[in-house]
Amino acid sequence: RLPQTVQILIGLIHLGFGSVLLMVRRGHAGMLFIEGGVPFWGGACFVISGSLSVAAEKSHTSCLVRSSLGTNILSAMAAFAGTAILLMDFGVTNWDVGRGYLAVLTIFTILEFFIAVIATHFGCQATRAQANTPVIFLPSAFSTDFNIPSPAASPPPAYDNVAYMPKESSE
């Protein structure tokens, strides 16, 4: 659940920082990030995809899983576009406060991109799984042959209750 929560929080951070930048940018050169509304449509995508991912995790209905998959794909594309726009604005903006906001938002947008791509990967695996079959993710280093017979258990060795046995004297 942590990645979904992080998605929602990143979306809220985008909405909040976008609102602050919108209010304080007056008099400064227009930033494509704000002019294009990236923090608002990007933040909305991130909040919606995180919320649908949480809902899909709670109830594994096919509709929710597919909706979560679709919104995570949309979020990955929005994060990719947002990162490109942020980097362009970062190179053009000479306003120090704006650059600080853009740097923080760039870090969060890149994080959102990776979370959305990973969630999309697992969503694809979940939609390919057979109906009513739980999806188990195993690293490729493990074998999936769980029918290996266990070795026959031998009984534990017998122990004597004698703690010390003296040597026989030769005298």
Side-chain angles (χ1 to χ4, degrees):
R1 257 179 242 222
L2 184 63
Q4 296 90 352
T5 305
V6 172
Q7 275 186 307
I8 295 169
L9 288 175
I10 289 173
L12 294 174
I13 288 169
H14 267 72
L15 292 169
F17 277 24
S19 300
V20 169
L21 277 173
L22 187 63
M23 289 188 284
V24 298
R25 74 172 172 85
R26 297 175 196 226
H28 298 284
M31 294 192 287
L32 183 59
F33 183 71
I34 298 298
E35 299 295 329
V38 176
F40 306 109
W41 55 260
C45 281
F46 305 156
V47 169
I48 291 169
S49 66
S51 300
L52 280 174
S53 294
V54 168
E57 187 177 344
K58 286 185 179 179
S59 66
H60 302 284
T61 64
S62 176
C63 181
L64 275 175
V65 171
R66 289 173 196 250
S67 297
S68 172
L69 176 62
T71 55
N72 276 311
I73 291 170
L74 185 65
S75 280
M77 291 189 306
F80 184 78
T83 302
I85 292 170
L86 279 163
L87 290 175
M88 284 190 295
D89 274 351
F90 194 73
V92 173
T93 303
N94 58 4
W95 177 42
D96 290 337
V97 175
R99 288 178 73 101
Y101 278 111
L102 292 176
V104 170
L105 286 173
T106 302
I107 292 168
F108 281 124
T109 306
I110 292 169
L111 176 64
E112 171 61 32
F113 175 76
F114 287 116
I115 290 172
V117 167
I118 291 168
T120 300
H121 170 73
F122 286 124
C124 284
Q125 285 187 346
T127 56
R128 284 191 204 135
Q130 296 176 355
N132 299 328
T133 303
V135 178
I136 300 173
F137 300 104
L138 295 173
S140 59
F142 291 105
S143 172
T144 56
D145 184 17
F146 295 112
N147 296 327
I148 300 171
S150 62
S154 60
Y159 295 100
D160 293 336
N161 287 334
V162 179
Y164 174 74
M165 295 181 84
K167 285 186 179 182
E168 301 211 12
S169 61
S170 56
E171 298 175 30

